[in-house]
Amino acid sequence: MPQKKAIVVGAGIGGLATSIRLRSKGYEVEVFEASEKAGGKLNQMEEKGYRFDMGPSLFTLPKELDHVFETAGKNPRDYYDYEKLELITKYFYEDGTQIDAWAEPLRFAKELEEKTGETAAKALKVLKKSSEIYDITSHVFLERSLHKLSTYLRKDTLISILNLHRIDSMRTMHKANASQFNDPRVVQLFDRYATYNGSNPYEAPATLRIIPHLEFNIGAYFPKKGIYAIPTSLYSLATDLGIKFHFGEKVDEILVEDKAVRGIRIGENKHEAEVVVSNMDVVPTYRHLLSSQKAPEKILTQPRSSSALIFYWGIKDSFPDLDLHNIFFSQNYQEEFRYIWEEKSIYEDPTIYVHISSKCEKGDAPAGKENWFVMINVPANQGQDWESLISAARKNILSKLSRMLGKDIESLIEFEDRLTPELIESRTSSYQGALYGNSSNNKFAAFLRHPNFHRKIKGLYFVGGSVHPGGGIPLCLLSARIVGDLIE
């Protein structure tokens, strides 16, 4: 029998992992990518001796990446390696408080007790609850399709359903954290985890308290050679397996006939396949590639997650007090989120994330210098006057960092570039520049994401951050695992 053929539209991390899983099932696989290289939002830039990872910067659940290689019968360490972080994040507050989020839970809990007076027992209790939510939900919400009856007929799913009252979905993340801690600095630290999927802690369900479990109870990691090593290693594996890539080829249409997928069209050229997987954001997938098909408007019109404004700064100095991941908190967190979600604007005192990969990968910056990835959360692109907003935000960011670090940061910048919601949208086809597809600002968000398959078109599947189970490196890899399991 001839091999069945699968086409993957998009070479983001979800598309790469899916192509490998399908090849491992015996499919002939071709990947079509509009840009000139693989990676999607996981990209890199090299300028004037500096190297920057341009997209996601935190790596958790490495077992999910390893699983892709193991499925193909390969040793992951032959393609990439990583190290576990001893210190996850350094937190800086305007009152001068500095909190080191150590990876070891007890050490972190004692740090909170020493710096804020909150007892270590409280922090350990919250991390235990985070672990409990993960154990109840992960195999249902993260590892399988929520849209297949077979998922709900499994014994472990039924056990989870009986325990759903324990996942804390009926109150907001902020209310849950405020009920556990008295110190607003600690509440703010734990509220921040809502931003890991582009949500608002004052609206998102407390179920999202699952996220700290990934960092503290499982671990946060740094891939050797930086985050871009992840798509690079997947691409290397894919080519080793004989997967064919077409870069610079933008797909115009997914071909459908008699309620079954038939392939894709690029201009006048058609490429036939029994299976098509879209790694493109689900909104442009329907609006452009499936324009002749009925679109699921209720899903496509859900509010989008937040976006990001990122500055890439080559800094001609070194800062021993900074680490790989650093957070400079806003003094009024609730107002910051009100600006993002209600005003669709940028607050004058934003929380600033500074990622410095040269702290771990020395070659990412010249000797004595550092590569700063400086990011703030901003609203999705809805036609705002971004030039005006970005100009003001840059001034506010520089003022805040200079004040809190005691140095004039602007005078130290010898290289600068930026990534905006508009550029994220145009470069990665992410609708409105949203980083994580739909927002998770309500308790039903998990069920409002698009399934990983089309209910009425045979052979059509969806993978990546805009569909189930969500955005970010581990969830995109889990999305690919779900698609791989769905396809015979």
Side-chain angles (χ1 to χ4, degrees):
M1 288 181 63
Q3 279 185 313
K4 284 188 175 182
K5 185 175 178 180
I7 287 175
V8 178
V9 181
I13 189 169
L16 289 168
T18 301
S19 70
I20 292 164
R21 289 184 178 279
L22 294 183
R23 182 66 184 136
S24 301
K25 283 177 173 278
Y27 279 82
E28 176 190 348
V29 184
E30 294 189 47
V31 181
F32 291 81
E33 168 58 50
S35 68
E36 298 301 324
K37 58 182 177 180
K41 293 186 182 75
L42 272 74
N43 211 325
Q44 73 170 1
M45 171 173 55
E46 296 181 81
E47 291 286 346
K48 297 186 177 180
Y50 296 94
R51 191 198 71 85
F52 299 90
D53 285 311
M54 298 185 71
S57 54
L58 181 69
F59 182 37
T60 56
L61 289 182
K63 69 183 180 71
E64 291 303 326
L65 182 57
D66 283 355
H67 192 260
V68 178
F69 292 87
E70 292 160 358
T71 298
K74 302 290 186 179
N75 180 359
R77 301 292 81 77
D78 290 339
Y79 289 86
Y80 87 107
D81 205 353
Y82 56 86
E83 58 181 304
K84 186 174 183 179
L85 299 179
E86 181 181 5
L87 175 62
I88 300 174
T89 305
K90 292 178 75 77
Y91 292 94
F92 297 82
Y93 298 80
E94 286 280 7
D95 67 359
T97 303
Q98 294 184 21
I99 295 175
D100 292 335
W102 300 102
E104 202 283 311
L106 181 57
R107 189 178 182 186
F108 170 56
K110 288 181 176 179
E111 171 81 1
L112 289 180
E113 184 171 89
E114 178 185 336
K115 298 291 180 64
T116 70
E118 294 282 10
T119 65
K122 281 187 181 180
L124 292 174
K125 181 181 178 181
V126 168
L127 293 180
K128 183 178 179 181
K129 182 64 177 181
S130 181
S131 175
E132 178 185 358
I133 296 172
Y134 181 84
D135 290 341
I136 293 170
T137 62
S138 61
H139 59 277
V140 180
F141 290 90
L142 301 183
E143 297 173 6
R144 301 192 188 108
S145 171
L146 287 179
H147 307 88
K148 288 287 187 179
L149 179 62
S150 57
T151 296
Y152 300 94
L153 298 179
R154 298 174 61 100
K155 181 180 178 181
D156 54 359
T157 302
L158 295 174
I159 292 172
S160 290
I161 290 172
L162 292 174
N163 285 281
L164 285 180
H165 64 283
R166 296 163 58 195
I167 69 173
D168 208 3
S169 63
M170 302 309 292
R171 57 178 176 170
T172 68
M173 191 176 191
H174 174 73
K175 284 185 178 179
N177 290 329
S179 73
Q180 296 295 317
F181 300 108
N182 296 317
D183 193 297
R185 293 168 296 184
V186 181
V187 174
Q188 188 174 26
L189 190 156
F190 279 93
D191 278 355
R192 174 181 167 260
Y193 286 99
T195 67
Y196 280 41
N197 68 357
S199 299
N200 178 354
Y202 299 91
E203 294 182 3
T207 306
L208 290 184
R209 291 199 295 158
I210 188 177
I211 299 172
H213 171 71
L214 305 183
E215 286 192 7
F216 295 102
N217 299 325
I218 297 178
Y221 302 82
F222 181 78
K224 294 181 179 178
K225 298 183 181 179
I227 291 288
Y228 192 64
I230 295 174
T232 299
S233 63
L234 288 171
Y235 176 66
S236 295
L237 172 60
T239 53
D240 287 349
L241 295 175
I243 296 170
K244 187 176 181 180
F245 285 82
H246 304 266
F247 292 111
E249 295 199 33
K250 185 176 181 180
V251 175
D252 293 311
E253 183 183 5
I254 294 174
L255 300 173
V256 178
E257 184 181 323
D258 297 329
K259 297 184 179 180
V261 76
R262 299 302 183 197
I264 63 168
R265 177 182 62 80
I266 300 175
E268 299 300 318
N269 298 317
K270 295 181 179 180
H271 302 264
E272 296 182 352
E274 290 88 352
V275 168
V276 172
V277 182
S278 177
N279 184 212
M280 191 179 187
D281 186 300
V282 69
V283 175
T285 295
Y286 275 99
R287 301 298 188 221
H288 304 305
L289 306 188
L290 292 165
S291 58
S292 63
Q293 305 298 317
K294 183 178 180 181
E297 296 298 337
K298 186 174 180 180
I299 292 177
L300 300 190
T301 54
Q302 288 294 314
R304 304 293 281 181
S305 79
S306 58
S307 187
L309 170 61
I310 306 171
F311 293 99
Y312 307 97
W313 288 338
I315 300 292
K316 55 182 180 182
D317 200 353
S318 61
F319 289 74
D321 289 342
L322 298 182
D323 204 75
L324 178 66
H325 303 293
N326 309 275
I327 291 290
F328 297 82
F329 271 128
S330 166
Q331 282 190 292
N332 190 335
Y333 217 32
Q334 188 164 4
E335 187 68 358
E336 179 182 2
F337 284 99
R338 190 186 72 80
Y339 262 76
I340 293 172
W341 294 100
E342 296 181 22
E343 301 292 333
K344 310 298 181 186
S345 188
I346 302 175
Y347 185 45
E348 63 184 7
D349 177 27
T351 295
I352 305 166
Y353 168 60
V354 180
H355 171 65
I356 310 172
S357 67
S358 58
K359 294 288 186 181
C360 292
E361 193 67 37
K362 300 301 182 185
D364 282 357
K369 302 179 180 182
E370 296 178 347
N371 62 332
W372 285 20
F373 168 115
V374 181
M375 187 191 88
I376 61 172
N377 295 303
V378 301
N381 176 30
Q382 296 182 27
Q384 295 93 324
D385 180 0
W386 285 110
E387 283 306 315
S388 176
L389 289 173
I390 291 167
S391 177
R394 184 181 185 276
K395 290 178 182 177
N396 291 330
I397 290 169
L398 286 168
S399 175
K400 185 181 184 76
L401 291 177
S402 298
R403 181 178 65 256
M404 297 181 75
L405 293 172
K407 289 186 179 181
D408 177 20
I409 302 302
E410 186 165 25
S411 66
L412 300 176
I413 299 173
E414 63 175 7
F415 168 77
E416 178 171 357
D417 203 347
R418 70 187 192 188
L419 186 63
T420 69
E422 291 176 304
L423 289 174
I424 293 170
E425 183 168 17
S426 64
R427 291 176 182 177
T428 68
S429 295
S430 299
Y431 181 58
Q432 294 184 351
L435 296 182
Y436 305 95
N438 293 350
S439 80
S440 296
N441 288 340
N442 70 72
K443 56 181 174 288
F444 302 111
F447 299 95
L448 295 174
R449 285 187 173 272
H450 195 285
N452 300 102
F453 62 96
H454 197 287
R455 297 182 188 276
K456 297 182 179 179
I457 300 175
K458 182 180 179 182
L460 180 56
Y461 299 86
F462 305 85
V463 71
S466 70
V467 298
H468 179 70
I473 295 171
L475 294 192
C476 285
L477 291 170
L478 285 161
S479 183
R481 189 210 288 198
I482 293 168
V483 171
D485 290 342
L486 288 172
I487 297 175
E488 295 180 358

